[in-house]
Amino acid sequence: MTKIAKTSPESVRTVACIGAGVIGGGWVAHFLGRGYQVVAWDPAPDAEQKLRSLVDSAWPALERLGLAEGASKDNLTVAPTLAEAVAGADFVQESAPERLDLKADLLAEIDAALPEGVVVGSSTSGYSMSEMQVKAADPSRLVVGHPFNPPYLVPLVEVVGGEKSEQWAVDWASEFYRLAGKSVITMDQELPGFIGNRIQEAAWREALHMVAEGEATVAQIDQAMTDGPGLRWAFHGPCTTFHLAGGEGGMAHMLDHFGPSLKAPWTRLEAPELTTELRDRMVEQTDEVVDGRSTAELIAQRDRRMIAIMRALEEVEREEAAERGEGQA
Amino acid sequence: MTKIAKTSPESVRTVACIGAGVIGGGWVAHFLGRGYQVVAWDPAPDAEQKLRSLVDSAWPALERLGLAEGASKDNLTVAPTLAEAVAGADFVQESAPERLDLKADLLAEIDAALPEGVVVGSSTSGYSMSEMQVKAADPSRLVVGHPFNPPYLVPLVEVVGGEKSEQWAVDWASEFYRLAGKSVITMDQELPGFIGNRIQEAAWREALHMVAEGEATVAQIDQAMTDGPGLRWAFHGPCTTFHLAGGEGGMAHMLDHFGPSLKAPWTRLEAPELTTELRDRMVEQTDEVVDGRSTAELIAQRDRRMIAIMRALEEVEREEAAERGEGQA
């Protein structure tokens, strides 16, 4: 087993994408858009046709985002076998269906065919790398690189290793994704659902509860999100949002003042005990995020972003209406 | 008690804002920006100065959003007494501190001084109107009109009556807020936290749990939101998001296929039982929201919006950098 990367993250030219469904295909589109050579493999008989059609539909979006130099759909090759797909790869993105036995076998196969020192990132959302890396001869270079759908647009990638992954592989993958244009969170420990999905699932379950109880409809829930907290969450996460809700006193004031309302029956999610330790940790870490910006500055930045988002969304609607022949609003 | 509105929502000229803190002051700014005459009252000794300064800082944002004809900061009057503030009002927005006894007394006072047939909307986030309207002589015209911070920017207002509110008042308030530029959800029943805050609180509690357990930092949580689900939630709510996650099969496929993963330990929020009834209700209501749009159409619309948002946010960052004298990126 090697502990030395075959190439530096900066020198990656060829990415192998194993599994080319919605997520795998989204990765293919992303890597093509960033100028990489991409070799894909998927065992489904109609995989290539579906993949090329997915890339075709994603391409206008990638063009609007701005293609990297040399980026082209022609840089996509579909390999007939997994071994051929990974043989010349500088990095492998695995996006197979979410079945543990299948993922474990596939990662072992990838590892066996892959040159030494090449890192593999798995798109898994449901399993930990510790569970999946058990069959591979060299589990040290297998890490999770969990994207959000569509991977060619949503910047977030959560990177984390398993028990047998080595730190160099986690660091290498994090740096590679960053160079490939993603917003990377390198996690210190495995956590079911990682971070983004835990938050997303909490919202989703609360939504299901409301519909189950007949308290709100799907339309009301979606409207409440897009015209309410969702607008802010595109640029201020939940912690910065609540920091601002504390006014000049920030997170500390928010927790000290509204702490008791944590116990209000506002969701079906049980509230954590607001211990002094948790309170202090929230305040301290929020201070780091705020990084010296005053409340007035944060508010000015928030307002500007919210308006920019609303205007951008209105502009898209005007364009779409014009395209439908409804003329300008 | 009257059941006839004094004026139609279209004819409202003067809005009284009772309570002029962050939320009340935000309402003042909103109504001024939409061209209304606003009369404010707040018992704090320095309330007027703080209010005018809040309106001053909100004004550039309102200008960027587009002021209504005749909109002016000069249309703000601060009244010396509550009775004088509401005497000529066509609508009253109450935004007092979140204390039940105080709110109940204040609403009774407003009601006593207010002409017949004028509706009162309360900004409360923590109490139901049924709890708050108990002391008023005419509780029938008291409803909740719950905004999000800042009320002059976030479009959402959740409108709901209490046990003693009459439907005409709920409908009147909904229509008025709509005319005043808000995105209105008229709820059929009282629900602690309404809809938006229940979702927001679910996310917030999950965030607190992660920090409490040392699983993620504030910075990671905020980044996971803004660079992940938060970008989509500015235009597709949680239900439409998961509808798309189901691919061509939409919400039905999502629930039938990923239903079991609902039980995965992805948040501390207990999952609801996915009964056939809940499954069918989700599918049916999602169909209404989707309104005949194909998956391809939805994806094209999503991609376009996400790119517009990201470009708009980048543009704001470039502008801010230029203003700081860092030159163009």
Side-chain angles (χ1 to χ4, degrees), chain B residues 24 65 87 108 186 244 252 310:
Chain B
L65 271 180
T186 308
L244 269 181
M310 289 190 285

Side-chain angles (χ1 to χ4, degrees), chain A residues 183 205 211 222 227 240 262, chain B residues 183 205 222 227 240 262 281:
Chain A
S183 167
R205 287 184 187 187
V211 174
D222 274 6
D227 295 354
T240 303
L262 257 187
Chain B
S183 168
R205 287 185 189 187
D222 275 6
D227 294 354
T240 303
L262 257 187
R281 194 182 291 178

Side-chain angles (χ1 to χ4, degrees), chain A residues 61 64-65 125-126 148-150 152-156 158 183-187 189 191-193 195-206 208-242 251 254-255 261-272 278 281-282 285-286 289 299 301-313 316-317 319-320 323, chain B residues 61 64-65 125-126 148-150 152-156 158 183-187 189 191-206 208-242 251 254-255 261-272 278 281-282 285-286 289 299 301-313 316-317 319-320 323:
Chain A
R64 276 201 295 278
L65 271 180
S125 60
F148 276 68
N149 193 40
Y152 59 86
L153 278 186
V154 182
L156 188 63
E158 293 162 319
S183 167
V184 179
I185 294 180
T186 308
M187 296 173 67
Q189 56 178 290
L191 179 64
I195 300 170
N197 266 346
R198 294 193 76 92
I199 299 175
Q200 179 162 251
E201 280 285 312
W204 171 235
R205 287 184 187 187
E206 184 61 37
L208 285 174
H209 276 295
M210 284 192 277
V211 174
E213 299 297 320
E215 296 162 345
T217 65
V218 163
Q220 289 177 324
I221 289 165
D222 274 6
Q223 183 185 349
M225 178 63 93
T226 58
D227 295 354
L231 271 178
R232 299 186 293 215
W233 279 339
F235 55 89
H236 276 171
C239 303
T240 303
T241 298
F242 278 110
M251 178 62 77
M254 219 284 301
L255 292 172
S261 83
L262 257 187
K263 299 292 179 196
W266 276 9
T267 90
R268 278 83 174 180
L269 176 59
E270 210 185 313
L278 174 55
R281 193 182 293 180
M282 288 300 300
Q285 295 188 359
T286 302
V289 168
I299 288 179
Q301 292 176 349
R302 175 197 67 192
D303 288 5
R304 204 152 164 176
R305 281 160 179 74
M306 208 173 300
I307 291 168
I309 287 175
M310 290 190 285
R311 287 184 139 187
L313 293 175
V316 168
E317 266 164 37
E319 286 169 10
E320 284 174 347
E323 286 163 15
Chain B
R64 277 200 296 276
L65 271 180
S125 59
F148 276 68
N149 194 42
Y152 58 88
L153 279 187
V154 182
L156 188 64
E158 293 162 319
S183 168
V184 179
I185 294 180
T186 308
M187 296 173 68
Q189 57 178 289
L191 178 64
F194 313 103
I195 299 171
N197 265 347
R198 294 192 76 90
I199 299 174
Q200 179 161 253
E201 279 285 312
W204 171 234
R205 287 185 189 187
E206 185 60 34
L208 285 174
H209 276 295
M210 285 192 275
V211 174
E213 299 297 320
E215 296 162 344
T217 65
V218 162
Q220 289 177 324
I221 290 164
D222 275 6
Q223 183 185 349
M225 178 63 93
T226 58
D227 294 354
L231 271 178
R232 300 187 293 216
W233 279 339
F235 55 89
H236 277 170
C239 303
T240 303
T241 298
F242 279 109
M251 178 63 77
M254 219 285 300
L255 292 173
S261 85
L262 257 187
K263 299 293 181 197
W266 275 9
T267 90
R268 279 83 177 181
L269 175 60
E270 213 186 313
L278 174 54
R281 194 182 291 178
M282 288 300 300
Q285 294 187 0
T286 302
V289 169
I299 288 178
Q301 291 176 350
R302 175 198 65 188
D303 288 4
R304 204 154 165 173
R305 281 161 179 75
M306 208 175 299
I307 290 168
I309 288 175
M310 289 190 285
R311 287 185 140 186
L313 293 177
V316 168
E317 266 164 38
E319 285 169 12
E320 284 173 348
E323 286 164 15

Side-chain angles (χ1 to χ4, degrees), chain B residues 37-305:
Chain B
Q37 300 288 323
V38 178
V39 187
W41 178 79
D42 189 297
D46 56 348
E48 175 160 4
Q49 182 215 321
K50 280 194 175 169
L51 171 59
R52 294 199 182 270
S53 133
L54 189 156
V55 171
D56 283 339
S57 17
W59 207 254
L62 290 163
E63 283 176 333
R64 277 200 296 276
L65 271 180
L67 296 171
E69 208 186 310
S72 162
K73 290 193 272 188
D74 297 341
N75 293 335
L76 170 61
T77 315
V78 176
T81 66
L82 183 152
E84 285 167 86
V86 303
D90 302 314
F91 176 71
V92 179
Q93 185 72 39
E94 173 272 309
S95 313
E98 289 288 308
R99 295 212 325 264
L100 182 54
D101 53 345
L102 185 156
K103 291 267 206 195
D105 286 338
L106 190 66
L107 286 168
E109 253 189 275
I110 293 171
D111 174 56
L114 192 64
E116 279 197 358
V118 175
V119 174
V120 179
S122 170
S123 300
T124 186
S125 59
Y127 300 105
S128 69
M129 185 43 84
S130 293
E131 294 173 287
M132 297 190 302
Q133 68 193 165
V134 290
K135 294 185 178 173
D138 178 8
S140 71
R141 50 147 153 205
L142 308 180
V143 304
V144 167
H146 173 246
F148 276 68
N149 194 42
Y152 58 88
L153 279 187
V154 182
L156 188 64
V157 175
E158 293 162 319
V159 179
V160 64
E163 282 162 31
K164 295 182 176 167
S165 310
E166 286 186 14
Q167 191 60 42
W168 74 264
V170 172
D171 294 341
W172 191 99
S174 300
E175 182 58 14
F176 166 68
Y177 284 124
R178 209 169 279 124
L179 292 166
K182 307 307 287 186
S183 168
V184 179
I185 294 180
T186 308
M187 296 173 68
D188 295 331
Q189 57 178 289
E190 298 185 285
L191 178 64
F194 313 103
I195 299 171
N197 265 347
R198 294 192 76 90
I199 299 174
Q200 179 161 253
E201 279 285 312
W204 171 234
R205 287 185 189 187
E206 185 60 34
L208 285 174
H209 276 295
M210 285 192 275
V211 174
E213 299 297 320
E215 296 162 344
T217 65
V218 162
Q220 289 177 324
I221 290 164
D222 275 6
Q223 183 185 349
M225 178 63 93
T226 58
D227 294 354
L231 271 178
R232 300 187 293 216
W233 279 339
F235 55 89
H236 277 170
C239 303
T240 303
T241 298
F242 279 109
H243 170 73
L244 269 181
E248 292 293 338
M251 178 63 77
H253 178 73
M254 219 285 300
L255 292 173
D256 298 341
H257 195 68
F258 298 111
S261 85
L262 257 187
K263 299 293 181 197
W266 275 9
T267 90
R268 279 83 177 181
L269 175 60
E270 213 186 313
E273 200 57 48
L274 189 59
T275 60
T276 310
E277 199 199 337
L278 174 54
R279 184 254 180 223
D280 293 347
R281 194 182 291 178
M282 288 300 300
V283 171
E284 190 188 310
Q285 294 187 0
T286 302
D287 280 351
E288 286 170 28
V289 169
V290 167
D291 195 23
R293 285 172 293 173
S294 70
T295 301
E297 265 180 290
L298 276 173
I299 288 178
Q301 291 176 350
R302 175 198 65 188
D303 288 4
R304 204 154 165 173
R305 281 161 179 75

